[in-house]
Amino acid sequence: MLSTEQRDQFQRDGYLVVPDFKSMDEIARLRQRAGEIVNEFDPGQGRSIFTTRDQTTATDEYFLRSDNTIRCFFEEEAFGPDGQLRQEKALSINKIGHAMHDLDPVFAAFSRDPKLAAVARELGLVDPKVWQSMYIFKQPGIGGEVRWHQDATFFETTPVSVTTFWFALEDATIDNGCLWVEPGGHRGPMRERFVRNGDDIKMETLDTMPWPSDSSAVPLEAKAGSLVCFHGLLPHYSAPNRSPVSRHAYTLHATDGATAYSPRNWIQRDASFPVRGFE
């Protein structure tokens, strides 16, 4: 699936953009299903917002119980001072997470793709295990910032193996909050570790190396249908979306089953709900 040049770029820069990986028909089916999930969602079930500003404080029971099910989360700016939604529900959801790839047939069909399995192998995942899926809306006008972070913070393995597969479902541009990365930053240390013990969670500081500056970050603009792959230690972020255009994306996080998955990671599986690969 990947050329030698593409594999070399991933090793050198820590990321890779593969255009035209998914068809418009596949994207349309996923977007339709996401819309149905939001339409069926009753805000009375949970009014949890998603934020990366202070995750240990913002993380609540509703979020923790989303590890192996399907739940919706609101944008930070979805609610007004009166506690009511500023705009309709469909334009207020930040994301859907975190096990659609296993529990929803439409998301499973999109996620379990022989082409994707081949890419994962070519990027070094000997035995891919997909732990998490997220449908991210990046709503027009109120799409929240996702601060600088590394995905290995949330999926620690020994050695580090988590790889992110990020699908652009709409054109991702600087204006609507595309990803920004630090080329080569995956060769640096893991800065933080998100640890769960039952319902107790904390963010541990592992290294005080500063996050990238504007001078070293580059935008990853991507056309709808593109697949963006990046290393678990690659620092990345996305700015708020103040444009009138949304930036829908779908992302999967996979580790290598040949590595040791930390029992303190926030998502765990057992024999009743085993973690699976891309096939």
Side-chain angles (χ1 to χ4, degrees), residues 18-118:
V18 184
D20 301 318
F21 192 85
K22 289 289 189 179
S23 71
M24 293 302 104
D25 285 345
E26 291 174 295
I27 289 173
R29 286 193 290 271
L30 200 71
R31 292 190 60 178
Q32 179 180 347
R33 181 59 188 138
E36 292 168 353
I37 291 173
V38 170
N39 186 55
E40 295 162 4
F41 169 59
D42 177 4
Q45 297 171 355
R47 294 165 65 91
S48 182
I49 66 169
F50 178 77
T51 177
T52 60
R53 295 182 190 277
D54 185 356
Q55 286 184 280
T56 54
T57 300
T59 299
D60 56 13
E61 183 181 12
Y62 182 84
F63 179 88
L64 290 175
R65 298 294 178 269
S66 73
D67 52 356
N68 293 316
T69 187
I70 301 173
R71 290 188 172 177
C72 295
F73 299 85
F74 287 101
E75 293 279 7
E76 282 185 83
E77 300 176 22
F79 297 97
D82 60 357
Q84 301 301 308
L85 288 174
R86 296 177 185 270
Q87 50 195 4
E88 62 180 291
K89 180 178 64 173
L91 293 175
S92 301
I93 300 297
N94 171 284
K95 72 172 182 176
I96 308 170
H98 290 93
M100 298 88 73
H101 61 290
D102 280 324
L103 298 177
D104 185 274
V106 177
F107 277 87
F110 189 97
S111 307
R112 294 205 149 83
D113 179 347
K115 293 195 306 178
L116 189 55

Side-chain angles (χ1 to χ4, degrees), residues 17-270:
V17 180
V18 184
D20 301 318
F21 192 85
K22 289 289 189 179
S23 71
M24 293 302 104
D25 285 345
E26 291 174 295
I27 289 173
R29 286 193 290 271
L30 200 71
R31 292 190 60 178
Q32 179 180 347
R33 181 59 188 138
E36 292 168 353
I37 291 173
V38 170
N39 186 55
E40 295 162 4
F41 169 59
D42 177 4
Q45 297 171 355
R47 294 165 65 91
S48 182
I49 66 169
F50 178 77
T51 177
T52 60
R53 295 182 190 277
D54 185 356
Q55 286 184 280
T56 54
T57 300
T59 299
D60 56 13
E61 183 181 12
Y62 182 84
F63 179 88
L64 290 175
R65 298 294 178 269
S66 73
D67 52 356
N68 293 316
T69 187
I70 301 173
R71 290 188 172 177
C72 295
F73 299 85
F74 287 101
E75 293 279 7
E76 282 185 83
E77 300 176 22
F79 297 97
D82 60 357
Q84 301 301 308
L85 288 174
R86 296 177 185 270
Q87 50 195 4
E88 62 180 291
K89 180 178 64 173
L91 293 175
S92 301
I93 300 297
N94 171 284
K95 72 172 182 176
I96 308 170
H98 290 93
M100 298 88 73
H101 61 290
D102 280 324
L103 298 177
D104 185 274
V106 177
F107 277 87
F110 189 97
S111 307
R112 294 205 149 83
D113 179 347
K115 293 195 306 178
L116 189 55
V119 169
R121 287 192 298 269
E122 291 173 18
L123 293 181
L125 295 178
V126 177
D127 180 22
K129 300 295 184 185
V130 185
W131 292 95
Q132 174 178 276
S133 52
M134 296 188 296
Y135 189 104
I136 303 165
F137 292 86
K138 204 75 166 180
Q139 300 286 6
I142 63 168
E145 175 188 28
V146 177
R147 72 175 183 89
W148 281 105
H149 67 284
Q150 299 162 301
D151 289 344
T153 290
F154 305 94
F155 298 95
E156 183 185 16
T157 63
T158 306
V160 173
S161 67
V162 66
T163 304
T164 301
F165 301 87
W166 189 100
F167 302 89
L169 306 179
E170 296 181 293
D171 291 351
T173 68
I174 292 175
D175 290 339
N176 68 3
C178 69
L179 293 172
W180 289 72
V181 300
E182 180 190 30
H186 64 301
R187 291 190 290 274
M190 190 161 104
R191 294 164 171 83
E192 297 173 314
R193 177 167 52 205
F194 189 72
V195 175
R196 179 177 183 178
N197 181 18
D199 284 350
D200 295 325
I201 55 97
K202 62 181 177 178
M203 187 72 81
E204 296 180 345
T205 298
L206 302 178
D207 195 287
T208 58
M209 181 177 182
W211 292 106
S213 65
D214 291 345
S215 62
S216 61
V218 300
L220 290 190
E221 294 189 299
K223 290 289 188 181
S226 298
L227 166 63
V228 181
C229 308
F230 50 95
H231 190 282
L233 289 178
L234 182 74
H236 58 285
Y237 95 104
S238 63
N241 180 13
R242 301 307 183 197
S243 81
V245 180
S246 60
R247 193 224 66 189
H248 289 207
Y250 179 60
T251 184
L252 297 165
H253 293 100
T255 63
D256 192 338
T259 64
Y261 186 81
S262 173
R264 300 200 299 169
N265 287 334
W266 86 279
I267 295 180
Q268 300 290 328
R269 295 284 186 93
D270 58 26

Side-chain angles (χ1 to χ4, degrees), residues 8-24:
D8 288 346
Q9 182 197 342
F10 185 83
Q11 295 299 320
R12 181 185 68 248
D13 296 334
Y15 67 91
L16 174 68
V17 180
V18 184
D20 301 318
F21 192 85
K22 289 289 189 179
S23 71
M24 293 302 104

